[in-house]
Amino acid sequence: MAVDRFIWEYHLTPNGWVKGKTSDMFSGKTEAAIPPDRLKTVEQEVYQSSRFSPEETRIRTTWIADGAAEQIEELQRKYPPPFKEE
């Protein structure tokens, strides 16, 4: 059984990153509307299997708008991600 597990969702929009839904072992889940102008959605998961083990972080892209690769690249340069990319 995990000691700690958090999942945060972030959406990249033309105005920057917007926090999406969240889930954690202690507070449960929060829902958030998906911005209609999102171009990319990323999920950050932080997991710790025991109090003696280090935290493991996983970043994964869960959605990308079709044909928006150049715009996404430009926005990611303009707006650094709100999470540490590994």
Side-chain angles (χ1 to χ4, degrees):
M1 175 183 258
V3 171
D4 219 352
R5 182 171 187 246
F6 300 94
I7 299 173
W8 296 278
E9 182 181 73
Y10 298 97
H11 307 287
L12 181 60
T13 72
N15 295 313
W17 290 96
V18 175
K19 193 168 186 176
K21 63 185 177 183
T22 64
S23 173
D24 74 60
M25 291 178 58
F26 305 105
S27 304
K29 295 181 180 185
T30 62
E31 293 297 322
I34 295 172
D37 59 348
R38 75 175 167 155
L39 298 166
K40 181 178 180 178
T41 298
V42 177
E43 187 178 88
Q44 176 187 24
E45 178 181 9
V46 178
Y47 178 82
Q48 187 174 14
S49 59
S50 79
R51 64 185 179 143
F52 303 107
S53 58
E55 285 185 344
E56 298 172 31
T57 300
R58 181 178 71 158
I59 307 293
R60 67 185 184 110
T61 300
T62 58
W63 186 86
I64 294 180
D66 290 335
E70 287 181 24
Q71 189 178 7
I72 289 169
E73 255 185 61
E74 180 183 322
L75 288 170
Q76 287 183 139
R77 281 192 300 272
K78 187 175 179 179
Y79 302 109
F83 46 85
K84 183 180 177 183
E85 292 187 292
E86 297 183 333

